Amino acid sequence: MTLIQTQPRPAGANPAHRTAVEGMDEAEPQVCDDMSVEVALAVMAAARTGRLVVCDQDDQCTGLVTRTELAAVRDSSGYTDRVRLRDILGDHGSFASPLTTMAEAGQAMRSRRLGVLPVVDEQGSGLGILALSR
């Protein structure tokens, strides 16, 4: 897991230095990493979302999956119903701290080619999502 964390800013900080917690969207649905791909796709359909935050047994964020990624896994030749989200997470272990500035999060997302970045608290629990504007 890569946590992008910065030093706290003074209370009257410049609006250009907004923090991740000030700029994040509401948290996406969170699911456990032992969930199957089919169930995760059903959860996405029911929640009308294109992504899910994935957590481990200790409720710590471990990554994020998208509908496109899950559909590709399901349609692959090696797919079985035993494939779990933890098996396909890949390199989705980047997270932002609530104190990360929007500028720093945006730069990290662009350099890592991430469209979204979960914001997690000090215990690793999901707080919300940052998304690059198009």
Side-chain angles (χ1 to χ4, degrees), residues 10-64:
N14 183 331
H17 296 289
R18 286 186 344 156
T19 61
V21 78
E22 295 169 318
M24 70 184 186
D25 295 332
E26 189 173 312
E28 297 293 322
Q30 295 184 18
V31 297
C32 192
D33 64 358
D34 67 351
M35 181 177 281
S36 72
V37 169
E38 288 296 331
V39 173
L41 285 166
V43 168
M44 280 185 191
R48 295 183 177 174
T49 187
R51 56 188 175 241
L52 297 171
V53 174
V54 181
C55 299
D56 64 15
Q57 300 296 331
D58 297 323
D59 206 26
Q60 304 294 299
C61 284
T62 57
L64 185 127

Side-chain angles (χ1 to χ4, degrees), residues 6-124:
T6 62
Q7 297 300 315
R9 302 259 184 229
N14 183 331
H17 296 289
R18 286 186 344 156
T19 61
V21 78
E22 295 169 318
M24 70 184 186
D25 295 332
E26 189 173 312
E28 297 293 322
Q30 295 184 18
V31 297
C32 192
D33 64 358
D34 67 351
M35 181 177 281
S36 72
V37 169
E38 288 296 331
V39 173
L41 285 166
V43 168
M44 280 185 191
R48 295 183 177 174
T49 187
R51 56 188 175 241
L52 297 171
V53 174
V54 181
C55 299
D56 64 15
Q57 300 296 331
D58 297 323
D59 206 26
Q60 304 294 299
C61 284
T62 57
L64 185 127
V65 293
T66 66
R67 182 186 324 255
T68 303
E69 292 170 325
L70 295 182
V73 168
R74 183 193 56 204
D75 297 340
S76 70
S77 61
Y79 175 75
T80 71
D81 61 355
R82 292 184 174 200
V83 175
R84 303 289 176 228
L85 296 180
R86 73 170 65 96
D87 301 328
I88 62 167
L89 278 178
D91 188 24
H92 290 283
S94 292
F95 303 94
S97 156
L99 300 177
T100 302
T101 66
M102 294 296 291
E104 291 163 330
Q107 193 269 343
M109 292 168 69
R110 285 186 292 279
S111 70
R112 293 185 178 110
R113 296 187 176 147
L114 302 172
V116 294
L117 187 66
V119 179
V120 299
D121 64 16
E122 298 79 29
Q123 291 78 36

